[in-house]
Amino acid sequence: LFFLAAWIAELYEYPPLSDVLRVIGCSFVIAALAIVPKSMIIKQMDFKKLFIASFVAMGVGNLGVGLTMAFFGADLWAYVGALLSQNIILMLFFWFFHPIKLNAKWGWNQIKQMLIYGGGSTIFNFFNYAASKVDTIIVSLIAGGEMQPSSSRWDSTGIYDRSVYLMGLPITVLGKLSDSVLFSGLSMLQDDLVQLRRTVQSAVYHIALLVIPGTIFLLCFTREITLLFLGEKYEDAVPIVQILFIGVVFRSLIKIGDAVVRAMRAKFLYMASMIKAFFFLLVAAAAYFGYKTGLQGVAWGLVIAVCIQFLLITGLSCRIISMSPLRWIKKSIPGVIAGLITLAACLFTRWMLSDDWNQLLARGIIGAVATLKALVGVSFVAPWVFKQGKDNLLGTIADKVPVSFLKNRWKK
């Protein structure tokens, strides 16, 4: 990064970026020092310690250092200060919570095991991350070759970049869940295929029940969500965001397959890495050829690439744990039913409310309340609708609510 910084700054036509990238590169070293203690905390599933470390680091780094530097006119360097201070605080907390005794001894067998699995993990994560960025880079390069002045280029790139960012917000949350809780749990069960299948099926049930209705809500209220998060100047991003929201459900369920392949033997990780590399090529092709029809064409191409990746990763994970894909589909049925109920509630809400730009937040809140009310109501009246085997999340929640209280709320 140090030696490529000048070239990257030239590519983005922003000379100050060169020095910024060279300083940001220190975060690689800081993060590397924190990897082992952080990994041990995750392995022990001690998420309370992770929360404390992240809470303090985010607060001090972003609010303390970052905002203070921005207030005093540090401009882009405020972000640099926030990032580095946040990483330093995280590293110190991880070593405090899980100190590791260091010595000069090492063994070739241990190094060999780390290199085999670590190599596959590195390739897997590299293509996974590269695929999330290559479309924006290609859009910026193509737009730069077609549009003058350069400000038009960055307007186009900015709209697409912010659209992808907004689409990624719900996935980031589930990504953290996959990288820590689910991955750690499956790693402990890798030699017990029966229990492993039960855990995966339960994960599919719960994530589908959460993500499918959530995706439907995002699609129904895309305009409100986009303008609330990005501002009215990004109104042109609304149709792009709406297309990208279609891929949220597939990207979220992919996290389950990712956790399975990462929790098992190294050979499966290398097979999954090939899928990620193929996905990277699909996204690049989608961005290049899709841009000929505009940013919406890029968005549709990305969604198609995500669906193909979902089929490949899900198929591989089912093969690894000897689970029929039909079980995966069956576990998703309650989520589909919840999605249909959400769709009905959202359409009814939109029909009842007028398109008043001054009430964006109110319309979104009313839509969310109507959706929750419909889901809870169905769970109370017919809890079996969302049941799948031993899993019945909404029915269990409905059983916990006092009958008289729920009846009164339902009437209101």
Side-chain angles (χ1 to χ4, degrees):
L1 183 62
F2 184 88
F3 290 106
L4 290 177
W7 177 81
I8 296 173
E10 183 180 350
L11 175 67
Y12 283 95
E13 301 175 359
Y14 190 67
L17 190 60
S18 177
D19 291 335
V20 168
L21 288 174
R22 285 170 177 158
V23 176
I24 282 182
C26 297
S27 63
F28 291 142
V29 179
I30 299 169
L33 293 172
I35 284 178
V36 175
K38 178 185 177 182
S39 299
M40 296 304 296
I41 294 173
I42 292 176
K43 180 181 179 181
Q44 295 171 357
M45 303 185 77
D46 196 345
F47 300 110
K48 181 179 179 180
K49 292 179 180 178
L50 288 176
F51 168 77
I52 294 173
S54 300
F55 182 80
V56 175
M58 292 287 285
V60 176
N62 290 347
L63 301 180
V65 177
L67 287 183
T68 300
M69 291 179 66
F71 179 78
F72 286 104
D75 196 53
L76 185 57
W77 287 100
Y79 170 77
V80 177
L83 177 66
L84 292 181
S85 59
Q86 180 180 313
N87 285 342
I88 291 172
I89 295 171
L90 281 173
M91 179 193 68
L92 294 176
F93 264 98
F94 292 149
W95 277 89
F96 174 77
F97 284 136
H98 200 292
I100 297 173
K101 185 178 180 180
L102 302 177
N103 57 60
K105 296 180 180 179
W106 64 281
W108 171 243
N109 290 331
Q110 288 80 2
I111 295 295
K112 183 179 178 181
Q113 292 176 12
M114 290 176 62
L115 289 176
I116 292 175
Y117 181 85
S121 181
T122 300
I123 297 172
F124 179 92
N125 288 321
F126 170 79
F127 282 112
N128 208 23
Y129 181 79
S132 69
K133 302 298 180 183
V134 66
D135 50 340
T136 303
I137 294 175
I138 291 177
V139 166
S140 69
L141 293 176
I142 296 178
E146 294 180 354
M147 298 182 180
Q148 293 295 334
S150 61
S151 59
S152 299
R153 166 190 182 181
W154 298 122
D155 286 343
S156 179
T157 305
I159 288 174
Y160 183 77
D161 177 71
R162 291 296 85 191
S163 300
V164 174
Y165 159 78
L166 195 55
M167 176 268 297
L169 287 179
I171 300 169
T172 300
V173 176
L174 289 172
K176 296 297 183 182
L177 176 67
S178 169
D179 290 339
S180 52
V181 181
L182 190 56
F183 170 62
S184 299
L186 294 180
S187 298
M188 298 177 185
L189 300 171
Q190 60 181 249
D191 295 323
D192 187 351
L193 279 182
V194 175
Q195 187 60 35
L196 190 62
R197 281 194 293 268
R198 290 174 183 170
T199 303
V200 170
Q201 290 171 17
S202 183
V204 172
Y205 168 85
H206 287 93
I207 291 180
L209 195 60
L210 173 68
V211 172
I212 294 178
T215 301
I216 297 297
F217 180 84
L218 293 174
L219 289 171
C220 291
F221 289 93
T222 302
R223 184 175 295 276
E224 289 79 4
I225 294 170
T226 302
L227 298 184
L228 281 171
F229 276 87
L230 301 182
E232 292 190 12
K233 68 177 181 178
Y234 281 100
E235 187 173 347
D236 291 342
V238 172
I240 304 167
V241 173
Q242 191 165 40
I243 296 171
L244 292 174
F245 274 161
I246 298 174
V248 168
V249 62
F250 299 103
R251 280 182 176 270
S252 302
L253 290 172
I254 284 172
K255 297 297 182 181
I256 300 175
D258 287 352
V260 171
V261 297
R262 291 172 58 232
M264 303 302 284
R265 297 179 183 86
K267 69 173 184 179
F268 297 124
L269 192 54
Y270 281 95
M271 294 170 66
S273 297
M274 295 176 62
I275 294 176
K276 294 295 181 179
F278 179 59
F279 174 59
F280 168 80
L281 295 176
L282 285 177
V283 174
Y288 181 79
F289 294 105
Y291 190 81
K292 295 180 179 179
T293 59
L295 294 178
Q296 293 187 40
V298 179
W300 277 117
L302 179 59
V303 169
I304 293 172
V306 167
C307 292
I308 294 173
Q309 183 199 188
F310 166 74
L311 294 174
L312 294 175
I313 285 291
T314 301
L316 177 61
S317 62
C318 288
R319 173 188 166 190
I320 291 172
I321 62 176
S322 302
M323 185 178 82
S324 170
L326 294 177
R327 291 294 303 168
W328 188 291
I329 296 174
K330 188 176 180 180
K331 281 292 184 179
S332 303
I333 292 177
V336 175
I337 296 173
L340 295 174
I341 295 172
T342 301
L343 178 62
C346 290
L347 292 177
F348 178 75
T349 303
R350 296 203 65 88
W351 176 68
M352 291 291 293
L353 301 177
S354 62
D355 291 335
D356 185 355
W357 287 114
N358 296 324
Q359 302 296 328
L360 288 174
L361 181 60
R363 286 164 57 193
I365 293 175
I366 292 172
V369 171
T371 300
L372 291 174
K373 202 169 185 179
L375 291 172
V376 173
V378 174
S379 300
F380 177 71
V381 176
W384 51 268
V385 170
F386 301 113
K387 185 177 182 180
Q388 188 60 242
K390 294 182 179 180
D391 295 313
N392 190 9
L393 178 62
L394 295 179
T396 302
I397 295 175
D399 289 339
K400 301 291 184 181
V401 180
V403 176
S404 58
F405 172 82
L406 191 57
K407 284 183 177 179
N408 292 333
R409 292 296 169 188
W410 182 254
K411 289 178 181 178
K412 292 182 179 180

